[in-house]
Amino acid sequence: MEQQQLFARYQDLQKYVGWTEEDSGRITAVAALVEPHIAGLIDDFYAEISRHPAAGKVITGGEAQVQRLKGTLRAWLTQLFAGKYDSNYVLARWKVGLRHVEIGLDQVYTNVALSRIRNGLLEVMCHSWRGPLPELALTVKALNRLLDLDLAIIEDAYQYEFLQRQKRIERLVVLGQMASGIAHELRNPLNVVRTSVFFLQNAKNASAEKKNEHLDRIGRQVAVANDVITALSDFAKLPLPNAEPVHVRDLLAEVLSGVDLPKSISPSIACDDQLPAIVGDRRQLAIVFGNLIRNAVDAMPQGGQLCLRTVPDGLCLRVEIQDTGHGISQEDIHRIFEPFFSTKARGLGLGLAITKAIVDNHRGQLLVTSQPGQGTCFTVRLEGSTVA
Amino acid sequence: MSHKPPSILVVDDEPDICANLRDILSEFGYRVDTATSGASALELVDRGNYDVALLDLKMPGMSGVELFREIKSRSSGTVAVIISAYASTSSAEEALQAGAWQILSKPVDIAQVMQCIDEAVNQPLVMLVDDDEDLCDSLWDVLRSQGIRVKLAHNVASANKALQDQDYQVAIVDLKLPGGDGLRLCAEIREMNPGAKTILVTGFRTELEQRAGQYSGVDATCYKPFDVSELLATIRRLTNAQPK
């Protein structure tokens, strides 16, 4: 996050807790009072850490590291009482949070360590206070606000960095899935090409007809490999949807007629005749319904019922594609929209990822319910603004 | 070892690869059948007798590993080679655990495929006739891990059927069998398959001793519970095979 952005966020949080310029003045006024006790508080801070293995494990560099950290803590406390709560002040707090992610410090220890520092500071402040008591009460409030703001920034940084790292890990997982999906889809055509080349090089008595057959096969499988690349780049740059009136009933019927349905599957379409057209991209919605219908068919290798249904839902329209197939397991159902996730023998595992991307681009929702052994129902919910 | 050309079953859901492997392997003198699904492969297995099955790992309906388990239960002497598009996967590992002979990766190297087939059919072929299915399954695993092909038969009738299809180097026969007598079966084996050596297995030492005069034709005897390493050594001696 940018330093200025951080500072703006800090200023907003200052307003939230009711921080004022007077608070700032009160804090700087007690700086001299607290100063003689700082060294003792720092020693106590690190002595306590060493008593807790889960917190102490982050100190891997022995006494030398503890000395360095004590210097950092002193700088932090000095800055705390210096009264200059500018963008550099905020950035220093932010960096503490980042560092905690880096060294793997559990966030709970940030909270309890700060609680210990807070108690120590309040104790020495009250003990050394010689002024009027109402003013002490206001100073205590100011210090509490200041420390709460510090903690908020450190925790914010921690969360931000933690999520960033999490996302990097997820990207690597997707990359791994992608690599194995592409490997499978490309090695199959390569397998044919390689064996045909072997035949052409080694067959001594092959007829011209046989040779042509192998050349055709090579050509065909090169096209298959090329289609894999096309599918990948199509997925990478999905165009924004057109806005045109689409009659869902007609579209469903058209898509269904284009799917190669085995005889064992009986399809039905239940749509209201008076259904108004929705606004969307006809070509892209055809991909959505086509993918869902083909998945439903694939889920019923022993046959079953395929039911396409539209249900008006306020200003929205729900399109349901229901099958009586093998269903989706509990573990898989959270992953089916991930690109390159597939339970099928063939295919890249992009179908539902593309389907979801298209529905999202239509500002719609794609929902799924499934009962293993009973069947699955996908619902495409096209939002109000898309209804003509 | 077999004088007939090795018979190969190729199973892959890609018809082009089936056609290619058929063309190439027939060109090199193998007998080849192909199937594009697990179900049609099993129909072929029930009708024919294959030395080696080349199975695609990932197929719709039935995976290569599932298919291999089925083939193993119907045709235990068939050696399975799994062909996978992935360098290493858990299902390939599972196939090896289940007793598949080798995993080859796609795109396949034909020279490697043929070498693999030749190695597979050069492993000794043993028939194990025992009605104890658990014992048969355990011994199948042990012998298979030692590079020995094992055809299982649980009764005299299925042993006779197996003898008609193939020649065996060694037959391990239980003395007490449903539907017949082990000693008699040993004599029949020698008649139908003169090259085969016989090992008679029994848990009844006294019975065997009483009938000592009748088993002179048997090449070796083995008592249950038997010492597996001794049995392996006996098989090696009878087949002149080198340990794997």
Side-chain angles (χ1 to χ4, degrees):
Chain A
M1 231 187 272
E2 291 294 315
Q3 189 167 350
Q4 279 318 307
Q5 222 180 324
L6 282 177
F7 187 50
R9 192 166 165 83
Y10 183 73
Q11 287 174 309
D12 181 54
L13 297 177
Q14 280 182 319
K15 280 192 200 114
Y16 207 111
V17 298
W19 178 262
T20 61
E21 274 308 307
E22 288 80 51
D23 286 332
S24 192
R26 287 188 185 103
I27 297 291
T28 43
V30 290
L33 208 61
V34 173
E35 171 53 35
H37 305 279
I38 294 277
L41 288 174
I42 290 175
D43 286 343
D44 168 74
F45 185 91
Y46 283 99
E48 190 60 30
I49 286 182
S50 68
R51 280 192 274 275
H52 302 272
K57 71 165 198 241
V58 299
I59 294 170
T60 51
E63 190 51 32
Q65 191 191 358
V66 172
Q67 287 312 316
R68 275 200 309 279
L69 289 170
K70 283 183 173 177
T72 315
L73 182 56
R74 172 169 279 279
W76 180 73
L77 285 165
T78 306
Q79 209 181 12
L80 190 72
F81 287 96
K84 204 175 171 200
Y85 307 111
D86 58 3
S87 71
N88 285 329
Y89 178 91
V90 178
L91 187 64
R93 271 68 194 153
W94 180 263
K95 282 182 179 165
V96 173
L98 299 189
R99 182 86 183 118
H100 286 175
V101 178
E102 218 169 277
I103 61 178
L105 178 70
D106 191 328
Q107 254 319 68
V108 295
Y109 290 105
T110 307
N111 283 281
V112 292
L114 200 86
S115 164
R116 202 168 174 90
I117 284 276
R118 186 196 302 259
N119 282 329
L121 287 171
L122 292 176
E123 213 174 281
V124 299
M125 226 168 72
C126 296
H127 202 255
S128 327
W129 186 265
R130 297 289 174 264
L133 283 182
E135 185 56 25
L136 173 62
L138 290 171
T139 308
V140 167
K141 274 191 185 170
L143 184 65
N144 274 329
R145 283 195 190 111
L146 184 62
L147 288 171
D148 287 341
L149 286 168
D150 264 44
L151 189 59
I153 294 294
I154 292 171
E155 291 199 320
D156 194 24
Y158 187 95
Q159 207 171 349
Y160 174 83
E161 180 65 13
F162 191 82
L163 283 176
Q164 290 297 313
R165 283 177 189 234
Q166 211 56 28
K167 277 188 202 157
R168 282 200 286 276
I169 293 168
E170 278 163 22
R171 272 200 292 276
L172 284 177
V173 170
V174 170
L175 193 67
Q177 285 173 8
M178 186 171 112
S180 77
I182 296 171
H184 186 258
E185 289 308 288
L186 286 182
R187 279 182 182 151
N188 273 313
L190 286 177
N191 197 26
V192 176
V193 171
R194 190 177 193 183
T195 48
S196 279
V197 168
F198 184 94
F199 179 84
L200 292 169
Q201 285 173 336
N202 292 282
K204 294 181 189 72
N205 309 313
S207 64
E209 194 187 350
K210 201 81 205 167
K211 283 179 182 162
N212 277 333
E213 205 178 278
H214 280 269
L215 287 171
D216 284 350
R217 222 169 263 153
I218 290 173
R220 193 158 63 229
Q221 294 292 335
V222 166
V224 168
N226 192 44
D227 285 348
V228 172
I229 311 289
T230 308
L232 278 172
S233 53
D234 280 357
F235 174 67
K237 49 174 203 304
L238 195 66
L240 281 175
N242 283 329
E244 56 194 342
V246 178
H247 292 275
V248 172
R249 189 195 164 97
D250 296 348
L251 184 59
L252 285 176
E254 183 188 309
V255 172
L256 188 63
S257 69
V259 176
D260 193 10
L261 277 183
K263 284 200 176 63
S264 56
I265 291 177
S266 50
S268 65
I269 300 184
C271 278
D272 187 354
D273 283 339
Q274 305 302 313
L275 208 61
I278 60 156
V279 174
D281 187 311
R282 191 180 160 88
R283 203 185 64 88
Q284 289 190 14
L285 288 174
I287 294 173
V288 167
F289 298 134
N291 282 345
L292 295 175
I293 290 171
R294 271 187 298 274
N295 278 351
V297 171
D298 289 344
M300 300 185 283
Q302 321 294 342
Q305 266 148 37
L306 170 66
C307 184
L308 313 179
R309 184 180 320 114
T310 59
V311 186
D313 179 4
L315 284 172
C316 302
L317 180 67
R318 289 208 319 260
V319 184
E320 297 178 354
I321 288 101
Q322 186 162 22
D323 66 59
T324 56
H326 49 55
I328 304 166
S329 76
Q330 208 61 28
E331 307 98 80
D332 288 348
I333 204 154
H334 304 291
R335 306 192 53 199
I336 54 172
F337 297 120
E338 286 176 17
F340 304 103
F341 177 80
S342 178
T343 58
K344 295 183 191 177
R346 283 295 175 95
L348 277 168
L350 287 179
L352 280 177
I354 289 174
T355 301
K356 178 148 186 356
I358 294 175
V359 174
D360 286 348
N361 283 348
H362 278 76
R363 282 167 293 162
Q365 282 169 293
L366 180 59
L367 309 166
V368 58
T369 54
S370 186
Q371 198 70 39
Q374 308 277 307
T376 301
C377 181
F378 277 92
T379 303
V380 182
R381 189 167 183 273
L382 295 164
E383 287 286 351
S385 58
T386 61
V387 176
Chain B
M1 300 241 171
S2 172
H3 28 267
K4 283 189 287 183
S7 61
I8 315 296
L9 174 64
V10 174
V11 190
D12 196 305
D13 60 321
E14 173 59 64
D16 279 353
I17 199 67
C18 286
N20 274 6
L21 289 175
R22 185 210 300 274
D23 283 355
I24 295 165
L25 295 175
S26 339
E27 176 83 17
F28 284 87
Y30 301 92
R31 289 179 296 141
V32 185
D33 282 332
T34 64
T36 55
S37 74
S40 54
L42 288 173
E43 280 176 30
L44 289 170
V45 168
D46 286 340
R47 273 184 309 199
N49 186 44
Y50 298 98
D51 294 306
V52 179
L54 300 176
L55 310 175
D56 183 22
L57 180 63
K58 213 169 177 188
M59 293 185 290
M62 192 187 284
S63 76
V65 178
E66 287 166 329
L67 176 59
F68 167 55
R69 289 187 207 284
E70 266 308 310
I71 291 177
K72 185 177 153 188
S73 76
R74 297 173 193 218
S75 174
S76 45
T78 301
V79 175
V81 175
I82 303 277
I83 298 177
S84 162
Y86 306 97
S88 83
T89 62
S90 53
S91 38
E93 195 53 43
E94 197 188 330
L96 284 176
Q97 294 287 327
W101 167 240
Q102 266 188 47
I103 311 284
L104 298 180
S105 57
K106 282 185 193 176
V108 292
D109 176 345
I110 290 293
Q112 196 188 11
V113 171
M114 288 193 292
Q115 191 194 344
C116 183
I117 292 173
D118 293 342
E119 276 173 22
V121 297
N122 277 315
Q123 299 171 95
L125 182 59
V126 167
M127 177 159 64
L128 175 59
V129 194
D130 197 311
D131 58 324
D132 183 341
E133 296 191 17
D134 286 343
L135 175 78
C136 283
D137 290 342
S138 302
L139 267 185
W140 191 95
D141 288 340
V142 171
L143 297 179
R144 207 61 209 87
S145 72
Q146 297 293 315
I148 296 168
R149 291 183 290 160
V150 190
K151 170 74 187 173
L152 302 177
H154 300 310
N155 53 51
V156 171
S158 58
N160 276 318
K161 162 96 180 53
L163 283 165
Q164 278 159 16
D165 291 340
Q166 252 172 323
D167 287 345
Y168 295 86
Q169 274 100 357
V170 173
I172 305 169
V173 180
D174 189 26
L175 180 61
K176 280 205 156 163
L177 284 170
D181 175 61
L183 262 176
R184 253 187 80 88
L185 180 62
C186 283
E188 282 166 16
I189 289 170
R190 280 193 301 278
E191 204 168 296
M192 291 173 75
N193 193 170
K197 308 284 187 190
T198 47
I199 302 175
L200 191 63
V201 175
T202 181
F204 313 98
R205 191 182 280 264
T206 46
E207 187 177 0
L208 202 59
E209 279 162 0
Q210 281 160 13
R211 297 169 69 183
Q214 299 171 25
Y215 66 86
S216 52
V218 173
D219 296 289
T221 52
C222 216
Y223 296 104
K224 285 185 190 176
F226 43 63
D227 183 332
V228 173
S229 50
E230 204 175 291
L231 178 66
L232 280 171
T234 308
I235 295 171
R236 300 247 176 258
R237 178 166 57 81
L238 295 176
T239 57
N240 298 318
Q242 295 304 309
K244 188 188 166 191

